[in-house]
Amino acid sequence: MVNQSSPVGFLLLGFSEHPHLEKVLFVVVLCSYLLTLLGNTLILLLSILDPRLHSPMYFFLSNLSFLDLCFTTTCVPQMLFNLWGPSKTISFLGCFVQLFIFLSLGTTECILLAVMAFDRYVAVCQPLHYATIIHPRLCCQLAAVAWTIGLVESLVQTPSTLRLPFCPHRQVDDFVCEVPALIRLSCGDTTYNEIQMAVASVFILVVPLSLILVSYGAIARAVLRISSAKGRRKAFGTCSSHLIVVTLFYSSVIAVYLQPKNPYARERGKFFGLFYAVGTPSLNPLIYTLRNKEVKRAFRRLLWKEVKPS
């Protein structure tokens, strides 16, 4: 058995059964990673440098961008290394660090998206009281709660997962150290870990998603009560980017963590996991910049400052 005292680590199989696909995936993952770095760094800079973006919505968006930068950097370098060459190994310490950060940031994003939905609910349904309700102190408190829940979840689940008695072949049927793949690698009783993952999925996936759906149900009712078509489009425009991000993120996470136990589902889950780890962080900046006039204006103002003669 391989456990926490073993220095040999693991083999991340990823898509090694499709060697012709690995080089294509290397290019796709590398391009997505570069896009993630560029897009999220740009949003962070705009949120910091442009005073007009010093609002709760962009405070939460900058948190999301910073989270996505850390999230992809946790797994993509190792993923690129494994896709490019024959070596698929990761040390036990590397797997521990990757799993800990992956769980913490993934949980934080689930909570943060629910917080952003609450922000949009107040903006649309309580516009006259928005500045009173969503004040800077509350924004910091809500962001702190999201990051703290992520940290606590990882502190609880990471050690219990890596204490499992793993099979001697050490082959993780995934491209990163994820909880479901490590549980499948165990040759011992995993009942406790499966119950723990199920309970965590309810509190971290189902509850925030339910709150998001309730928020958008109230938003939809408020938007439909607006008499003018222009007013409805404007109200919907403030929420559409976040709604797209929520749909992409939660659909891929649910496919990874709540998949049935069969080989076809595991294979499909790896592609969803790849999209969840690499695709959504690269798409989030595009979704927010392409559909958000304020971000585009802030980008033009930043460019104008750079090119304007002194």
Side-chain angles (χ1 to χ4, degrees):
M1 298 299 179
V2 177
N3 55 29
Q4 65 271 25
S5 62
S6 174
V8 294
F10 302 95
L11 297 172
L12 295 172
L13 295 181
F15 300 99
S16 55
E17 69 275 20
H18 306 293
H20 61 284
L21 188 60
E22 288 193 319
K23 295 298 183 284
V24 176
L25 286 174
F26 177 89
V27 175
V28 171
V29 171
L30 178 60
C31 292
S32 297
Y33 183 51
L34 294 175
L35 192 61
T36 299
L37 293 178
L38 178 64
N40 286 292
T41 301
L42 178 61
I43 288 180
L44 277 173
L45 287 175
L46 291 176
S47 300
I48 294 170
L49 297 177
D50 196 309
R52 300 185 193 186
L53 298 187
H54 292 174
S55 65
M57 176 180 173
Y58 296 104
F59 170 78
F60 294 128
L61 179 56
S62 61
N63 269 264
L64 181 63
S65 293
F66 177 70
L67 188 152
D68 282 341
L69 283 172
C70 298
F71 191 72
T72 52
T73 303
T74 301
C75 63
V76 168
Q78 177 76 44
M79 194 186 307
L80 291 172
F81 177 78
N82 290 350
L83 287 171
W84 184 253
S87 176
K88 311 293 181 187
T89 59
I90 183 172
S91 66
F92 184 87
L93 178 61
C95 187
F96 176 87
V97 171
Q98 190 178 81
L99 178 63
F100 182 87
I101 297 176
F102 217 66
L103 266 178
S104 177
L105 297 182
T107 302
T108 301
E109 185 155 355
C110 290
I111 308 300
L112 188 60
L113 289 174
V115 169
M116 293 172 77
F118 171 69
D119 171 68
R120 293 300 84 205
Y121 161 76
V122 177
V124 175
C125 300
Q126 304 284 338
L128 298 179
H129 304 286
Y130 179 76
T132 305
I133 298 173
I134 310 293
H135 50 81
R137 183 180 176 186
L138 179 63
C139 291
C140 293
Q141 290 171 339
L142 291 173
V145 166
W147 287 92
T148 302
I149 290 175
L151 179 63
V152 171
E153 158 62 13
S154 192
L155 284 171
V156 171
Q157 200 161 356
T158 300
S160 63
T161 302
L162 290 177
R163 276 199 298 264
L164 285 168
F166 297 115
C167 296
H169 60 75
R170 302 176 287 117
Q171 295 178 354
V172 180
D173 191 18
D174 211 329
F175 53 88
V176 292
C177 290
E178 279 268 48
V179 173
L182 290 170
I183 288 177
R184 290 195 300 269
L185 180 60
S186 175
C187 290
D189 183 14
T190 60
T191 304
Y192 170 77
N193 298 83
E194 290 178 5
I195 292 173
Q196 186 184 57
M197 187 173 70
V199 171
S201 297
V202 169
F203 282 101
I204 293 164
L205 292 177
V206 178
V207 171
L209 182 58
S210 299
L211 294 174
I212 291 171
L213 293 176
V214 169
S215 297
Y216 274 103
I219 288 171
R221 288 195 298 271
V223 169
L224 291 175
R225 286 198 295 266
I226 298 175
S227 56
S228 68
K230 183 179 179 180
R232 286 195 296 270
R233 283 196 301 270
K234 183 178 179 181
F236 180 73
T238 64
C239 307
S240 57
S241 297
H242 178 257
L243 190 56
I244 294 170
V245 169
V246 166
T247 303
L248 293 174
F249 178 79
Y250 272 96
S251 58
S252 55
V253 171
I254 288 171
V256 172
Y257 281 88
L258 302 180
Q259 58 178 290
K261 294 182 178 180
N262 61 69
Y264 172 73
R266 283 203 301 271
E267 186 69 17
R268 184 184 59 187
K270 279 194 281 187
F271 282 96
F272 276 109
L274 184 66
F275 182 74
Y276 150 62
V278 180
T280 53
S282 64
L283 289 175
N284 287 353
L286 289 176
I287 292 168
Y288 277 105
T289 53
L290 292 177
R291 301 181 61 87
N292 191 302
K293 293 180 181 178
E294 278 300 317
V295 174
K296 288 189 281 190
R297 289 191 193 111
F299 182 58
R300 285 195 292 267
R301 287 193 294 269
L302 181 64
L303 285 180
W304 176 246
K305 284 181 181 179
E306 294 295 331
V307 300
K308 188 170 61 174
S310 56

